[in-house]
Amino acid sequence: MPEETRTRDFIRQIVAEDLRAGKHEEVVTRFPPEPNGFLHIGHAKSILLNFGIAEEFGGRCNLRFDDTNPVTEDVRYVDAIVEDVRWLVGGIGAGPLFASDYFERMYALAEFLIREGQAYVDSQSEREIRENRGTVMEPGRLSRFAERAPEESLELFRRMRAGEFPDGAHVLRARIDMASKNMLLRDPLLYRIRHAHHHRTGEEWCIYPMYDFAHTVEDAIEGITHSLCTLEFDVNRPLYDWVAERWVEHVRSEGGEPTRPRQIEFARLQLEYTVMSKRKLLTLVSEGRVAGWDDPRMPTLAGLRRRGVTPQAIRTFSEMIGVTKANTRIDVGKLEYAIRDDLNQRAPRLMGVMDPLKVVITNYAEGESETFEAPVWPHDVPKEGSRPLPFTGTLWIDRDDFREDPPEGFHRLVPGGEVRLRYAYVIRCDEVVRGDDGEVTELRCSYLPETRGGANPEGRRVKGTIHWVSATHALPLEMRLYDRLFSESDPEAEGADFREGLNPESLVVVPEALVEPAVAALDPGLHVQLERVGYFFTDPVDSRPMRPVLNRTVTLRDTWAAREDAAGGGAPPSREEKRQAREREKERERERGGGARQEPERLPELQKRREVYEREMQLEPHEAEVLTRDAASADLFEAGVRAGATPQLLANWIVHELPRELGERDVTTLPFGGPEMAELAALIEDGTVSSTGGRQVLGEMVKGGGRPEEIVERLDLRQVSDQDALEKLVADALAANPGKVEEYRSGRTGLLGFFVGQVMRASGGSANPQVVKEMLDERLGAPR
RNA sequence: UGCCCCUUGGUGUAACUGGCAACACGCCUCACUCUGGAUGAGGAGAGUCCAGGUUCGAGCCCUGGAGGGGCAACCA
């Protein structure tokens, strides 16, 4: 049950509904990258969505390369993308598939369109085509070749394929509507000539299909049921549908039975402090601003993988952010949370210091040493394992763990203070040694033998535990501390070149960090947590035997550092500040004034009717306005009035209630007319049905027609206002929710609506809500 | 300036399709702790973009407006 009712994103809701309605035998999705760059975490969202839906609903998902533009594409990207997808989701089912395998079938559809007069070869220059397309404000102009006979177009198109023309000489265009408000529908290009080498088809083709044409056909060929893409393609959807329709005609003309894919758009992922466009990422790579596509600072899957981020972490993250149509930039903190959440269970714990400060234990015998057997998993991770941890009289600790002048609440090492060394002893700082420049060079401490191995003798309370390594055993190795690639949360903000926002400290190399021996023995490609420092990944490329290079995947959550940061930053806006901001906003709005709004043009005939409604029927202006936007609504209204309905009531129902029941449908398709509408209005007016019941009646009427009176009887919606009759329902509602009754009485009066709703539901919509409300009011008593 | 999409705590999402504004991240307490980690228990934080309207009842329906995003490649 909880599995069933778990709320799903809008796309999964659509898929579930389609399956329930029997629209498809099986759901088929696809992930269609163009092989012109590496995949990034934004693609991961899409991959996980598409493969996830296929898996959850028992369907399939194709990895298909949209390789229709030979000049930007390359096999090396194909290989990298396949590797990335495999890494993220495991198997990739059938495939990989290639759009280029469908070129012949696309071509066949193109010829079909030409023969049917739905496409033509245009021989305008590229510039002419652009100029004649018009602008968002002005319609385009027909090409002087638009009326070219199908036979002529067909011949030219074949010659285009045969390679008789140079690039740009001709294009194939769909014949749709040069005046469309949607620019994409102004006779969009379907094919262009490109004498270029294609990574799979070689020189076989010199004409290549354009996205809208090719992509739709690819989906149709593969039997894709739900074609998921990002928001900016919503303007392409009408064209997608156009091509899909023609594909259906084409296949049917050859006796086949095609499938009809449906495009659904969702918001692409944007992440704070990074960019997510292949073009910009390519710029960073080609200009050498990062070490390559797999630089661990890159949001690419290859980069994240090399940084130590796991597929599971990306999956968790993806589930956290959901799928919607709202355009937002996600807080990187959420990604970091998902990474830590996964690595916490996965990374063994070892110790290492990034910025070493020497500690000499003065009361520990010179040359002496001992070895602790220290666990590599914390008590709350159910895994076994330990490593030998050598201890001597000279140690390294992190400089950050010592403060001469500690801020309030600091509980690490301070002069004269005590701190616990993880898995070893408590030490006390007796003396601070400085170099010539005044910098602290060494701490002279004494250890407390009775605190060995974490023992905690009576009465001793040491607040802090710090990490350390034995100086004689410490091994130096390179650590790469990665931070956000950009300094600004939105590097793509208006104006400014995005490259200028690069964070100069996105990579800090520590050439000689000091780690305990067990770290040095780590193989490449392993996760580890250096306690209190962060999660690291042994670099799979640059690590050497016994000399791994450590990439910092992410720091540990650090509430102490957060507190220190917050001390500097401004306070969050108070309630009062927010109220004032709101006031200012309202003021500004008032100043802008209610600009004279432009009403849509109206036929004089409708304008006249509108005036009549207002003047003679006393309708509210805005209702009269809405009723006269189209003749059908006005007709319905007038027919209702002629049948005796009260104008205002009828107008309310047509304007405010009908649209909901109508959904996508048009008023003209209604299976009933004014008289029925009037009858419904009368039933409501005389109290035979409540407005709640009235809505149900209207819903029935829209669905199947029929007379209101009859529907009221059939659905038993006659309004019940008699208190005695309602008594039981009211009492039941109260008895079933004793907790809520209590809450109500202690002041949560918003619950009244809940109780009314319960009774209304129980009555099937027939109860008189006002009477119910009064009864509940009385039963519940005044809130204290 | 035309058309399309979007707007719910600081952030990301949910709300049985008109009836309790919920969850997660972040933040703050406390507990536990040999990681200022993890875990557990609490808490603060939202006039659901604004203004009108319909309704017993609106985050959800209607009207108008504001703000953000997209669309005028022979790219995808």
Side-chain angles (χ1 to χ4, degrees):
Chain A
M1 179 71 172
E3 199 61 26
E4 300 266 327
T5 52
R6 193 193 59 206
T7 57
R8 292 184 280 208
D9 57 73
F10 77 102
I11 294 178
R12 277 175 239 255
Q13 281 176 33
I14 291 171
V15 172
E17 173 57 23
D18 286 351
L19 250 22
R20 196 197 58 74
K23 277 169 88 169
H24 319 284
E25 287 171 20
E26 173 184 40
V27 53
V28 186
T29 56
R30 104 267 93 114
F31 174 66
E34 185 188 9
N36 65 349
F38 275 55
L39 261 24
H40 53 63
I41 190 167
H43 294 113
K45 174 180 179 180
S46 175
I47 293 168
L48 262 11
L49 212 215
N50 280 294
F51 279 89
I53 285 175
E55 192 185 337
E56 288 156 40
F57 293 95
R60 295 180 281 124
C61 178
N62 296 342
L63 168 59
R64 176 184 72 226
F65 286 95
D66 215 352
D67 54 350
T68 56
N69 184 5
V71 307
T72 58
E73 296 157 8
D74 196 300
V75 262
R76 87 185 184 94
Y77 293 126
V78 171
D79 299 339
I81 289 170
V82 170
E83 184 190 354
D84 286 347
V85 176
R86 284 224 168 90
W87 175 72
L88 221 209
V89 298
I92 54 170
L97 273 22
F98 293 87
S100 48
D101 287 343
Y102 311 141
F103 280 170
E104 199 62 62
R105 294 163 83 178
M106 291 178 192
Y107 180 84
L109 174 61
E111 284 210 352
F112 173 80
L113 291 180
I114 295 171
R115 287 195 303 273
E116 296 286 310
Q118 304 199 90
Y120 60 93
V121 170
D122 192 357
S123 308
Q124 294 182 102
S125 71
E126 195 173 336
R127 216 191 64 203
E128 283 177 295
I129 289 176
R130 199 175 14 248
E131 282 169 358
N132 287 334
R133 184 147 36 218
T135 67
V136 289
M137 299 295 294
E138 301 156 15
R141 287 176 300 276
L142 222 49
S143 164
R144 60 184 188 278
F145 301 101
E147 301 306 329
R148 184 121 75 184
E151 301 71 35
E152 190 188 345
S153 281
L154 194 57
E155 194 210 328
L156 280 168
F157 189 54
R158 287 177 176 163
R159 290 172 60 196
M160 281 164 66
R161 176 178 182 174
E164 292 187 27
F165 307 110
D167 287 6
H170 308 281
V171 293
L172 183 69
R173 289 236 243 175
R175 196 190 303 279
I176 305 183
D177 177 10
M178 286 305 291
S180 173
K181 297 211 185 241
N182 184 338
M183 300 290 295
L184 259 338
L185 262 21
R186 320 248 257 228
D187 289 11
L189 273 58
L190 266 26
Y191 268 89
R192 79 289 213 186
I193 300 172
R194 272 268 197 288
H195 291 273
H197 178 84
H198 186 278
H199 71 106
R200 299 198 79 224
T201 60
E203 323 298 328
E204 190 183 340
W205 293 86
C206 61
I207 56 172
Y208 290 92
M210 302 287 292
Y211 168 81
D212 292 290
F213 179 75
H215 197 264
T216 311
V217 174
E218 293 157 30
D219 283 347
I221 287 175
E222 294 178 10
I224 302 301
T225 53
H226 302 267
S227 180
L228 315 180
C229 63
T230 46
L231 247 30
E232 70 272 23
F233 289 99
D234 68 338
V235 288
N236 298 60
R237 182 156 25 96
L239 183 48
Y240 185 95
D241 290 336
W242 186 91
V243 176
E245 278 308 318
R246 308 305 115 145
W247 170 260
V248 167
E249 290 170 22
H250 168 55
V251 173
R252 285 209 178 119
S253 75
E254 298 183 335
E257 189 46 47
T259 57
R260 235 332 287 267
R262 168 181 180 184
Q263 175 180 307
I264 304 170
E265 310 86 24
F266 64 94
R268 62 153 23 107
L269 169 66
Q270 297 186 93
L271 245 195
E272 286 180 341
Y273 302 103
T274 194
V275 295
M276 210 70 90
S277 95
K278 276 200 255 183
R279 210 198 81 241
K280 288 183 177 133
L281 294 174
L282 176 60
T283 304
L284 295 175
V285 172
S286 59
E287 293 182 357
R289 292 170 193 270
V290 293
W293 284 103
D294 69 344
D295 186 303
R297 289 168 292 180
M298 293 281 274
T300 51
L301 295 185
L304 292 166
R305 179 167 61 231
R306 189 165 172 190
R307 183 158 170 166
V309 175
T310 61
Q312 181 55 52
I314 295 175
R315 228 169 288 141
T316 302
F317 172 67
S318 187
E319 276 160 27
M320 282 173 76
I321 62 177
V323 178
T324 65
K325 298 186 78 160
N327 228 309
T328 53
R329 191 172 282 273
I330 309 289
D331 167 20
V332 281
K334 289 187 172 61
L335 210 213
E336 292 176 354
Y337 169 83
I339 295 170
R340 293 185 188 117
D341 186 55
D342 180 50
L343 261 23
N344 179 42
Q345 299 292 319
R346 201 187 286 276
R349 270 60 164 182
L350 297 173
M351 291 196 287
V353 304
M354 297 188 297
D355 186 7
L357 173 61
K358 187 190 265 185
V359 168
V360 176
I361 314 289
T362 52
N363 59 341
Y364 197 82
E366 183 90 36
E368 199 61 27
S369 76
E370 64 191 299
T371 302
F372 299 101
E373 194 61 28
V376 295
W377 299 104
H379 59 88
D380 51 358
V381 173
K383 292 185 178 175
E384 302 288 325
S386 65
R387 84 288 190 180
L389 180 63
F391 182 87
T392 58
T394 307
L395 313 169
W396 298 109
I397 67 168
D398 248 317
R399 190 166 288 273
D400 209 35
D401 286 334
F402 171 77
R403 276 316 158 78
E404 280 200 280
D405 188 20
E408 183 89 13
F410 184 83
H411 42 255
R412 278 113 96 160
L413 198 56
V414 298
E418 292 179 354
V419 79
R420 188 185 301 279
L421 295 177
R422 180 78 162 158
Y423 297 127
Y425 299 99
V426 171
I427 58 170
R428 182 175 45 242
C429 176
D430 304 314
E431 190 188 344
V432 178
V433 181
R434 288 162 198 293
D436 299 336
D437 57 359
E439 208 197 354
V440 177
T441 54
E442 180 182 321
L443 265 19
R444 300 186 69 80
C445 303
S446 46
Y447 85 109
L448 281 48
E450 68 275 22
T451 60
R452 186 177 198 279
N456 205 7
E458 201 67 21
R460 180 167 302 282
R461 232 191 114 60
V462 181
K463 350 84 227 162
T465 299
I466 63 171
H467 55 99
W468 54 276
V469 295
S470 158
T472 49
H473 302 268
L475 295 164
L477 50 75
E478 180 177 330
M479 254 184 206
R480 297 172 182 171
L481 308 180
Y482 295 105
D483 198 357
R484 42 193 62 157
L485 227 200
F486 290 86
S487 317
E488 295 295 316
S489 75
D490 178 5
E492 295 159 295
E494 203 146 336
D497 183 346
F498 77 100
R499 288 168 289 198
E500 284 168 19
L502 280 164
N503 175 10
E505 287 163 16
S506 59
L507 168 59
V508 173
V509 176
V510 180
E512 297 218 315
L514 296 172
V515 300
E516 62 167 294
V519 176
L522 257 22
D523 285 334
L526 257 24
H527 304 278
V528 63
Q529 183 195 111
L530 296 186
E531 294 210 51
R532 306 208 314 124
V533 177
Y535 290 102
F536 290 79
F537 190 60
T538 50
D539 191 282
V541 178
D542 295 330
S543 292
R544 295 289 167 266
M546 295 311 285
R547 258 328 260 269
V549 168
L550 253 33
N551 295 337
R552 185 174 68 193
T553 311
V554 65
T555 58
L556 258 32
R557 174 166 177 260
D558 191 344
T559 50
W560 170 250
R563 184 153 25 136
E564 283 202 308
D565 288 350
S574 69
R575 184 180 278 256
E576 176 58 17
E577 280 169 323
K578 283 196 279 191
R579 195 192 61 76
Q580 286 180 9
R582 208 180 344 254
E583 278 305 312
R584 279 195 299 276
E585 178 58 34
K586 274 186 196 165
E587 187 59 36
R588 239 173 292 140
E589 198 124 337
R590 269 193 291 274
E591 277 166 20
R592 274 197 290 270
R597 73 188 178 83
Q598 204 63 35
E599 267 181 24
E601 260 178 61
R602 188 173 313 252
L603 263 28
E605 181 257 341
L606 283 168
Q607 179 60 30
K608 205 179 299 160
R609 292 161 84 171
R610 173 187 178 181
E611 282 159 20
V612 171
Y613 297 173
E614 269 190 61
R615 216 164 343 100
E616 291 170 23
M617 302 187 189
Q618 311 282 308
L619 286 195
E620 292 294 328
H622 106 260
E623 271 134 16
E625 197 266 324
V626 175
L627 282 175
T628 54
R629 282 189 186 170
D630 58 274
S633 300
D635 291 346
L636 180 68
F637 173 67
E638 283 171 36
V641 172
R642 273 197 305 277
T646 309
Q648 184 60 61
L649 182 73
L650 184 63
N652 277 347
W653 277 75
I654 293 176
V655 171
H656 298 288
E657 306 295 350
L658 228 204
R660 160 114 71 185
E661 304 301 338
L662 223 38
E664 301 291 283
R665 294 174 61 178
D666 196 72
V667 181
T668 54
T669 68
L670 249 24
F672 62 87
E676 288 78 14
M677 213 50 219
E679 193 182 322
L680 173 60
L683 291 173
I684 294 161
E685 197 160 24
D686 69 14
T688 305
V689 292
S690 65
S691 53
T692 302
R695 272 189 293 271
Q696 288 183 42
V697 174
L698 185 60
E700 279 299 299
M701 288 163 65
V702 170
K703 240 188 289 167
R707 290 193 39 246
E709 185 91 57
E710 178 268 321
I711 295 171
V712 169
E713 294 312 324
R714 178 154 54 83
L715 269 43
D716 198 19
L717 285 171
R718 191 168 287 277
Q719 178 161 239
V720 179
S721 304
D722 177 51
Q723 294 219 6
D724 295 335
L726 293 171
E727 179 59 44
K728 182 170 162 25
L729 292 178
V730 170
D732 285 352
L734 293 173
N737 300 282
K740 303 240 190 263
V741 171
E742 195 44 47
E743 280 181 59
Y744 177 91
R745 290 193 173 132
S746 55
R748 197 163 157 204
T749 53
L751 283 170
L752 187 58
F754 163 76
F755 286 113
V756 175
Q758 291 297 301
V759 175
M760 290 306 291
R761 194 180 308 271
S763 74
S766 65
N768 180 327
Q770 272 151 112
V771 174
V772 170
K773 200 173 206 171
E774 281 162 27
M775 291 171 70
L776 282 164
D777 230 345
E778 200 178 299
R779 287 325 120 90
L780 286 162
R784 291 192 295 268

